Amino acid sequence: MQRVFPKIFFEITLTIISVEMAGYFIPEGMRYSTLDERQQFYTQEFDIRKVAGWFRGRTDKIRFAVIIGRHTKIFPEKYAEDASTTIIIDEYNDLEDVKSQIIEFLPEAVYYDRNVYDENEKKACQELAFDLDPENIICPIHGSLADKMERHQGLSFCELELQMVKEETLRLYEYLAKNFSHLKIVYSGRGFHIHVFDSEAYELNNKKRKSVAKDVKEKGFDIDEWVTVGDMRLIRLPFSLHGLVSRTVIPLEKAELEDFEPVKDERCIPRFLRK
Ligand SMILES: [Zn+2]
């Protein structure tokens, strides 16, 4: 007996696939934050004491940075000219002052500099970090980063990629824990970061960082080498708002990561989305 699938079946299937590809951007519920929402977040929700806690142990003056509207094209009119610039915040009195400057700029992203500077403002050492992004995952639906770039979807990612990158982060954590003892995981809004706070890690020179990055890549982890090697010294500030996806950047214990669902988890959903 010959089975004939009705034509409508194929048409529906094709429609589902093309909607999935064309509409492929970021998981449902994640979206750009408006200027008003950034304002609400940084005035009412951003907890500078938690930020201070993150930097406990650092005695040098930390440099911060903001990007106002490079990707979102959402920025206060008066900063139109600097919307895509990385603005360094290194002149401030205290963290409250940093917060005021963030509220002034209402940026899409806030970072801090992993470099530690000496009293002459020369780089003394650098915090070691690993960056795992969902777009680097080879997705069964959306393909590799190259495939995504070809479709101009280099910044897009899906829930499956988020899930896969989370599992990869757990594996990398376990791998790194063999050599380091002070590790912290951060959900960055898109993917995950692993920060290494061992003092030996701060002291690694450029060559050693390169070999660490190479080793981790060879073990099959899709990290962004620029971050580990140190050329990209800025990293997203924990407890800030990721304005492309409207998620709070939060540190997570390894045990918490296992059940963590970035799309639904209340801890990373800013108040303006919790209604
Ligand atoms: Zn995907």
Side-chain angles (χ1 to χ4, degrees), residues 2-248:
Q2 194 190 356
R3 287 186 78 167
V4 181
F5 286 103
K7 186 166 168 276
I8 188 76
F9 173 84
F10 291 107
E11 277 175 1
I12 289 170
T13 310
L14 280 177
T15 308
I16 290 169
I17 293 169
S18 59
V19 165
E20 183 81 6
M21 298 301 262
Y24 174 50
F25 180 51
I26 48 178
E28 203 187 334
M30 292 186 168
R31 59 160 177 81
Y32 290 174
S33 311
T34 66
L35 272 186
D36 265 358
E37 289 167 345
R38 293 180 193 171
Q39 163 112 35
Q40 277 177 50
F41 179 86
Y42 283 110
T43 53
Q44 298 165 26
E45 203 169 344
F46 181 53
D47 193 340
I48 206 72
R49 284 163 310 175
K50 287 185 180 167
V51 175
W54 178 259
F55 292 114
R56 199 170 295 133
R58 288 269 301 255
T59 51
D60 58 312
K61 192 170 189 182
I62 291 140
R63 296 184 187 181
F64 297 87
V66 296
I67 294 177
I68 302 177
R70 183 184 297 167
H71 297 290
T72 57
K73 309 291 174 222
I74 298 172
F75 45 80
E77 206 39 58
K78 61 179 166 179
Y79 292 118
E81 270 188 32
D82 286 313
S84 294
T85 314
T86 303
I87 300 170
I88 304 290
I89 300 178
D90 58 356
E91 284 178 31
Y92 61 85
N93 299 318
D94 53 18
L95 288 179
E96 272 305 327
D97 188 12
V98 174
K99 177 176 160 176
S100 316
Q101 294 189 43
I102 293 172
I103 293 169
E104 170 61 25
F105 293 124
L106 295 179
E108 64 182 21
V110 183
Y111 305 89
Y112 73 91
D113 187 343
R114 290 182 294 125
N115 284 358
V116 178
Y117 298 92
D118 65 18
E119 57 277 14
N120 301 316
E121 309 218 344
K122 278 188 72 179
K123 179 184 167 187
C125 58
Q126 187 189 65
E127 181 197 313
L128 179 66
F130 297 83
D131 175 31
L132 297 112
D133 284 321
E135 66 266 22
N136 289 322
I137 294 285
I138 298 174
C139 175
I141 302 166
H142 303 105
S144 68
L145 181 59
D147 300 332
K148 296 169 205 173
M149 298 286 275
E150 209 164 280
R151 298 193 303 266
H152 307 287
Q153 296 174 330
L155 283 173
S156 298
F157 63 100
C158 72
E159 272 189 66
L160 182 58
E161 291 159 40
L162 259 180
Q163 182 62 30
M164 289 165 78
V165 80
K166 184 183 97 174
E167 283 159 16
E168 197 172 309
T169 304
L170 279 167
R171 288 196 302 274
L172 179 57
Y173 183 99
E174 279 161 14
Y175 181 69
L176 294 171
K178 292 174 190 169
N179 286 306
F180 301 108
S181 46
H182 300 290
L183 301 173
K184 284 226 166 109
I185 301 169
V186 168
Y187 167 59
S188 77
R190 299 168 55 76
F192 297 89
H193 297 150
I194 300 177
H195 297 251
V196 184
F197 293 114
D198 296 47
S199 49
E200 308 89 82
Y202 274 93
E203 301 298 334
L204 290 173
N205 63 26
N206 199 261
K207 204 176 147 199
K208 292 239 177 68
R209 279 167 204 267
K210 277 186 182 149
S211 87
V212 169
K214 189 165 168 255
D215 169 60
V216 163
K217 287 218 86 132
E218 279 170 3
K219 293 287 181 303
F221 298 104
D222 276 311
I223 55 156
D224 180 344
E225 278 176 87
W226 281 64
V227 171
T228 299
V229 172
D231 301 325
M232 174 34 101
R233 63 181 206 274
L234 299 178
I235 197 153
R236 208 169 277 276
L237 178 68
F239 309 104
S240 66
L241 176 73
H242 191 314
L244 273 73
V245 290
S246 295
R247 284 298 179 279
T248 312

